[in-house]
Amino acid sequence: VYIDVKTITTLPARELRTGLAEVVKYGVIEDEDFFVFLENNAHHLNTKAFEEENTLRAALRLWQTIVVESAKIKAKVVEKDETESNLRMILNYGHTVGHVIESLTRYRAYTHGEAVSIGMVAAAMISSKLKLADQQVVERLRGLLERLGLPTEISGLPAKRIAASLLIDKKVREGRVNFVLPEKLGRVVITNDVPVKVVKEVLREMGAQ
């Protein structure tokens, strides 16, 4: 696989942020050290870093690390689960709620990465309420996403409608919604035993009506 990292410099700022949502996902599901790397370098991961020659070189080195580590993590997950059983589902972290938000807003209000960003926060908050993860996981995740310029709240959508739409997602099995929930940074669990009332409570806390 050949990847020319310089092509990243041609992207608008919003598209750059969109891609970073999936990058953050890899840190949450598989590699805490990678998540820490993103925390430490978040202030360099914007289009302003491409404007000056000296910051451009430094930024491209960071992006090279990001691209390589993201590819490694995805390859690692897929290699462990070539037949697409349960493990590969961890790549859907943030996408359960994210896909619904995209759909309900007719793919006009949010980019895919922006919707996934909101979905990742929702999943982390659900995990915290179920006592699977510490509240610090939520705070660090939200903090990183906001520093990268990604949304972490829901605007203009009813919690009931989001919750109802989750039940028609392709990942629903026997009427149960599969959620990928962080237990800690770098480790997630897949569960279909999340009470609807917990989902609605989280959605309302995030700004849903």
Side-chain angles (χ1 to χ4, degrees), residues 100-106 109-110 118 151-162 203-209:
V100 169
I101 288 174
E102 283 184 290
S103 177
L104 292 179
T105 56
R106 299 184 180 181
Y110 301 98
I118 294 169
T152 58
E153 296 181 348
I154 300 169
S155 177
L157 291 173
K160 285 185 178 180
R161 194 175 175 200
I162 297 173
L203 294 173
R204 290 192 180 101
E205 286 181 10
M206 293 182 69
Q209 300 164 356

Side-chain angles (χ1 to χ4, degrees), residues 170-189:
K170 66 180 181 180
K171 294 180 284 300
V172 171
R173 297 289 183 271
E174 298 179 359
R176 290 175 174 266
V177 181
N178 282 310
F179 279 94
V180 181
L181 304 178
E183 293 182 312
K184 62 185 290 293
L185 292 172
R187 187 175 71 209
V188 292
V189 64

Side-chain angles (χ1 to χ4, degrees), residues 73-129:
I73 293 169
K74 184 165 187 176
K76 180 180 178 182
V77 172
V78 173
E79 184 179 346
K80 286 181 180 177
D81 185 15
E82 293 183 24
T83 58
E84 295 195 50
S85 55
N86 282 339
L87 177 62
R88 197 181 295 198
M89 286 177 62
I90 70 174
L91 295 171
N92 291 323
Y93 174 62
H95 289 62
T96 304
V97 171
H99 281 156
V100 169
I101 288 174
E102 283 184 290
S103 177
L104 292 179
T105 56
R106 299 184 180 181
Y107 302 90
R108 294 173 184 168
Y110 301 98
T111 65
H112 177 67
E114 289 166 348
V116 168
S117 175
I118 294 169
M120 287 193 290
V121 173
M125 290 177 65
I126 289 169
S127 188
S128 177
K129 286 189 178 294

Side-chain angles (χ1 to χ4, degrees), residues 4-209:
D4 185 352
V5 181
K6 285 185 179 179
T7 58
I8 291 172
T9 65
T10 68
L11 293 175
R14 190 180 185 189
E15 290 302 324
L16 203 67
R17 293 193 297 268
T18 289
L20 282 169
E22 298 279 0
V23 170
V24 171
K25 176 190 77 176
Y26 290 127
V28 177
I29 68 173
E30 188 68 28
D31 192 336
E32 183 178 8
D33 289 340
F34 186 46
F35 188 93
V36 172
F37 172 84
L38 295 172
E39 285 181 312
N40 291 339
N41 293 284
H43 56 297
H44 295 304
L45 301 177
N46 55 64
T47 53
K48 288 184 179 178
F50 303 146
E51 294 174 4
E52 302 288 340
E53 188 62 31
N54 60 331
T55 55
L56 172 61
R57 287 195 296 270
L60 288 178
R61 283 196 294 272
L62 287 175
W63 280 103
Q64 182 170 320
T65 299
I66 286 170
V67 170
V68 170
E69 291 304 313
S70 297
K72 277 184 183 177
I73 293 169
K74 184 165 187 176
K76 180 180 178 182
V77 172
V78 173
E79 184 179 346
K80 286 181 180 177
D81 185 15
E82 293 183 24
T83 58
E84 295 195 50
S85 55
N86 282 339
L87 177 62
R88 197 181 295 198
M89 286 177 62
I90 70 174
L91 295 171
N92 291 323
Y93 174 62
H95 289 62
T96 304
V97 171
H99 281 156
V100 169
I101 288 174
E102 283 184 290
S103 177
L104 292 179
T105 56
R106 299 184 180 181
Y107 302 90
R108 294 173 184 168
Y110 301 98
T111 65
H112 177 67
E114 289 166 348
V116 168
S117 175
I118 294 169
M120 287 193 290
V121 173
M125 290 177 65
I126 289 169
S127 188
S128 177
K129 286 189 178 294
L130 296 178
K131 307 300 183 185
L132 296 173
D134 190 276
Q135 179 63 19
Q136 188 184 47
V137 172
V138 179
E139 293 169 1
R140 286 180 66 187
L141 175 60
R142 184 188 287 120
L144 175 57
L145 292 170
E146 289 177 352
R147 286 173 64 201
L148 293 173
L150 287 160
T152 58
E153 296 181 348
I154 300 169
S155 177
L157 291 173
K160 285 185 178 180
R161 194 175 175 200
I162 297 173
S165 296
L166 287 171
L167 292 172
I168 58 174
D169 187 271
K170 66 180 181 180
K171 294 180 284 300
V172 171
R173 297 289 183 271
E174 298 179 359
R176 290 175 174 266
V177 181
N178 282 310
F179 279 94
V180 181
L181 304 178
E183 293 182 312
K184 62 185 290 293
L185 292 172
R187 187 175 71 209
V188 292
V189 64
I190 301 166
T191 180
N192 62 4
D193 196 26
V194 179
V196 175
K197 68 177 183 179
V198 172
V199 175
K200 289 181 179 178
E201 184 180 344
V202 164
L203 294 173
R204 290 192 180 101
E205 286 181 10
M206 293 182 69
Q209 300 164 356

